[in-house]
Amino acid sequence: MGDQYQQIGEAFVKHYYSTFDTNRAGLVSLYQGNSMLSFEGETFMGAEAIVQKLANLSFQRVQHQVTTFDVQPVVAAQPNSILVFVSGQLLVDDSTNPIKFSQTFHLMPKEGGYWVHNDMFRLNYG
Amino acid sequence: MGDQYQQIGEAFVKHYYSTFDTNRAGLVSLYQGNSMLSFEGETFMGAEAIVQKLANLSFQRVQHQVTTFDVQPVVAAQPNSILVFVSGQLLVDDSTNPIKFSQTFHLMPKEGGYWVHNDMFRLNYG
């Protein structure tokens, strides 16, 4: 599979969730105009609509704890795009009950990095 | 998003899990030589290796119950490929305790259908 993809995926996961947990509006730079988000079955298109949704989620504080992440290159695409599949737990506000989630990102190469083309998020109540 | 993708994703999900639950070896026709499977952190490449892994899982009977599935086209790819993100429950053998799972498929178009380029599977113990 190549360690390079694993490293890119790991760096992305760290960057994404640390940005989410500290500055949700800052996620806008990761998306582009034809990015898509499926969030608990609702669909949003484009960086602005996606980040508006994420920024307006009804908690004040959130902490993502990543349990597993898997990374695969899309070798049939040139240059390769990358899939990142995450499972983890969320802690919101003062709750001490973590909520399980899983999330898939499809990262497309751009000059000097990657952008999020597809983002699919689901809660898995334990 | 287009209902066509939703319909393709739904048909795929039904076909995939009904084949898995009745004739695991029959899944081989869904994969190709550069398909990849991440199964609980282990990676397998190519249709034969993938289906050998799936066919040798250590249960006799399995039943997948799909709870949610989300479908997104990859519009930056021409023709569009499709992402399908599933959450559900597994029942194996005589167990009455379902095990939660989540799974992501990346479907690539081919003549008359789609093949599974990327397949990422994780159990989420409840």
Side-chain angles (χ1 to χ4, degrees):
Chain A
M1 174 160 64
D3 281 345
Q4 58 174 335
Y5 298 111
Q6 193 68 23
Q7 287 168 8
I8 293 165
E10 182 171 4
F12 172 79
V13 165
K14 284 183 183 170
H15 177 64
Y16 185 88
Y17 293 116
S18 68
T19 305
F20 198 116
D21 294 353
T22 56
N23 173 28
R24 272 179 268 169
L27 295 171
V28 72
S29 63
L30 298 176
Y31 297 95
Q32 293 195 2
N34 56 359
S35 296
M36 292 183 67
L37 168 67
S38 296
F39 187 91
E40 283 285 279
E42 268 191 293
T43 304
F44 302 87
M45 301 197 65
E48 286 188 25
I50 289 168
V51 174
Q52 187 172 24
K53 170 65 180 176
L54 299 179
N56 288 328
L57 291 171
S58 64
F59 42 75
Q60 296 300 307
R61 296 189 309 284
V62 61
Q63 190 185 345
H64 290 77
Q65 300 169 333
V66 173
T67 308
T68 65
F69 68 96
D70 299 297
V71 184
Q72 287 189 7
V74 178
V75 297
Q78 293 300 333
N80 296 173
S81 57
I82 300 177
L83 289 165
V84 184
F85 179 46
V86 181
S87 70
Q89 302 191 129
L90 280 172
L91 274 172
V92 299
D93 293 333
D94 297 318
S95 172
T96 53
N97 292 321
I99 306 166
K100 292 190 178 203
F101 74 94
S102 58
Q103 189 162 16
T104 297
F105 299 97
H106 184 205
L107 308 181
M108 305 294 284
K110 66 175 182 181
E111 184 70 30
Y114 289 82
W115 60 282
V116 180
H117 186 345
N118 304 91
D119 180 352
M120 308 167 98
F121 176 90
R122 282 279 177 182
L123 297 173
N124 300 289
Y125 294 96
Chain B
M1 176 161 61
D3 281 343
Q4 57 174 335
Y5 299 111
Q6 192 70 22
Q7 287 168 8
I8 293 165
E10 182 171 4
F12 172 79
V13 165
K14 284 183 184 171
H15 178 62
Y16 185 89
Y17 292 116
S18 68
T19 305
F20 198 116
D21 293 353
T22 56
N23 172 27
R24 271 180 266 169
L27 295 170
V28 72
S29 63
L30 298 175
Y31 297 95
Q32 292 194 2
N34 57 358
S35 296
M36 289 182 68
L37 167 67
S38 295
F39 187 91
E40 283 286 277
E42 268 189 293
T43 304
F44 301 88
M45 302 198 63
E48 286 188 25
I50 289 169
V51 175
Q52 186 171 24
K53 170 65 181 177
L54 299 178
N56 288 328
L57 290 170
S58 64
F59 41 75
Q60 296 300 308
R61 296 189 309 283
V62 61
Q63 190 185 346
H64 290 78
Q65 300 169 333
V66 172
T67 308
T68 66
F69 68 95
D70 298 297
V71 184
Q72 287 189 7
V74 178
V75 297
Q78 292 302 333
N80 296 173
S81 57
I82 301 177
L83 289 165
V84 184
F85 179 46
V86 180
S87 70
Q89 302 190 129
L90 280 172
L91 274 172
V92 299
D93 293 332
D94 297 319
S95 172
T96 54
N97 292 320
I99 306 167
K100 293 192 176 200
F101 73 93
S102 57
Q103 188 162 15
T104 298
F105 299 97
H106 184 206
L107 309 181
M108 307 293 286
K110 65 175 182 181
E111 184 71 30
Y114 288 83
W115 60 281
V116 180
H117 186 346
N118 304 92
D119 179 352
M120 307 167 98
F121 176 89
R122 282 281 177 181
L123 297 173
N124 300 291
Y125 294 96

